[in-house]
Amino acid sequence: MGAYILRRLLLMIPTIVGIMAISFAVIQFAPGGPVEQVIAQLTGQGDSANDRISGGGDTIGSVQQDFTEEVSSQYRGAQGLDPEFIAKLEAQFGFDKPPLERFLLMMWNYIRFDFGESYFRSIDVIDLIAEKLPVSISLGVWILLLSYVISIPLGIKKAVSDGSRFDVWTSGVIIVAYAVPGFLVGIMLIVMFAGGSFYDLFPLRGLTSDNFAELSPWGKIVDYFWHLTLPLIALSLSAFATTTLLTKNSFIDEIRKQYVTTARAKGLTERQVLYRHVFRNAMLIIIAGFPGAFISAFFTGSLLIEHIFSLDGLGRLGFDSIIKRDYPVVFATLFIFSLIGLVVGLISDLVYTWVDPRIDFEKRDVG
């Protein structure tokens, strides 16, 4: 197993480099980079430069320079701007270097976990991510727990009672829940329970109230979950449906196999057959889906919900960074979550061997 772990760790290196290289190459052809963003602001085509850029020092001060009559530039909208000013902008954002040199420098910094500073905010990228992390952790952890704690027992119950009235009724509810988008559920919850057209029972902004620091320990817990209730309901429906049906189908496949019939013939009770034999094999596919569920719960799955409920988490940070062409934040989040995904995938394989010792990755041929 040690050789397998070492091999997987070594394979992470080219995988990470490949992901970053492809993303970096795509970005080179995307219009409207950070330099264009600044130019658009200065020429009246965007927001105020002072609202979006901080820490620029002499570069931002150069906004006051006179416009020249004839300037040729590769940037759209830059005609009339001082070429020296454009050069300073390129140097500020690192675009005065060739693409390959920029990529190699970025990867060298990332290997040392030096993610630099945001283009448009006077804060280190890692500090910015840490600032948004509590929201994503709160949503991700509780969605994951709700999904697995509720869906697995329900899926087992549906598999055991396959074809019954309970199975048909719950399947209908699950399919409807899966079909309705989470953001639409969020809007409906706001209208009904957050001061929309009916009741005003839940807050709409943040994870805590303004007086959170003044509350008792129990009051803080209640306040925290009071803020999380509606976002969790909106987020959990699709994950709840997927995990439940996946669990049910996995258990049905195992229940129909010959070893289950043999176990029953030996006199084992249905509970012993289900939890001593079927459970271990059926849970393998659930474990296989854990890495994807883990990553999506922490990043990709909550963007619209964060926006609807005014929660400032990693999903919203990534989206805003792409829109604003804040490349240090974009690439840092991509690197971090790619690395987390690869590590969690390795952990998932190790859990495979713990759940079913018959699995031996050492004997597999390297593809």
Side-chain angles (χ1 to χ4, degrees), residues 113-176:
F113 291 94
D114 177 10
F115 299 106
E117 187 175 286
S118 168
Y119 280 163
F120 302 117
R121 314 179 196 190
S122 56
I123 183 174
D124 289 340
V125 172
I126 196 67
D127 293 334
L128 184 60
I129 292 175
E131 179 184 313
K132 312 298 182 183
L133 200 56
V135 171
S136 295
I137 289 178
S138 296
L139 294 176
V141 167
W142 292 114
I143 288 301
L144 215 57
L145 286 176
L146 285 174
S147 173
Y148 277 78
V149 170
I150 297 177
S151 299
I152 291 177
L154 179 59
I156 294 174
K157 175 63 176 177
K158 287 175 60 63
V160 172
S161 57
D162 184 39
S164 67
R165 181 177 298 178
F166 170 81
D167 179 47
V168 173
W169 180 79
T170 53
S171 293
V173 173
I174 288 171
I175 291 172
V176 171

Side-chain angles (χ1 to χ4, degrees), residues 27-28 40 63 72 86 116 130 139 156 164 179 181 220 223 236 263 308-309 322 326 332 343 348 362:
I27 287 295
Q28 304 311 304
V63 173
S72 61
I86 300 296
L139 294 176
I156 294 174
S164 67
K220 291 180 179 180
D223 182 75
S236 62
I308 291 172
F309 291 98
I322 292 173
D326 198 347
V343 172
S348 178
E362 290 282 3

Side-chain angles (χ1 to χ4, degrees), residues 47-98:
D47 299 332
S48 171
N50 292 329
D51 293 338
R52 295 271 298 276
I53 303 177
S54 59
D58 294 338
T59 302
I60 302 305
S62 298
V63 173
Q64 305 300 327
Q65 295 184 27
D66 295 333
F67 290 81
T68 56
E69 294 296 332
E70 297 181 359
V71 174
S72 61
S73 174
Q74 60 176 318
Y75 302 109
R76 185 175 59 181
Q79 287 77 13
L81 287 178
D82 191 332
E84 294 184 5
F85 172 65
I86 300 296
K88 287 183 179 181
L89 276 180
E90 291 178 334
Q92 177 186 344
F93 295 121
F95 287 96
D96 56 334
K97 302 180 181 67

Side-chain angles (χ1 to χ4, degrees), residues 7-44:
R7 185 166 62 246
R8 285 289 299 271
L9 291 174
L10 292 176
L11 285 174
M12 290 181 186
I13 298 174
T15 303
I16 286 286
V17 172
I19 292 173
M20 300 301 296
I22 293 173
S23 302
F24 187 86
V26 170
I27 287 295
Q28 304 311 304
F29 298 100
V35 176
E36 288 91 336
Q37 294 281 321
V38 176
I39 292 173
Q41 294 161 14
L42 300 180
T43 56

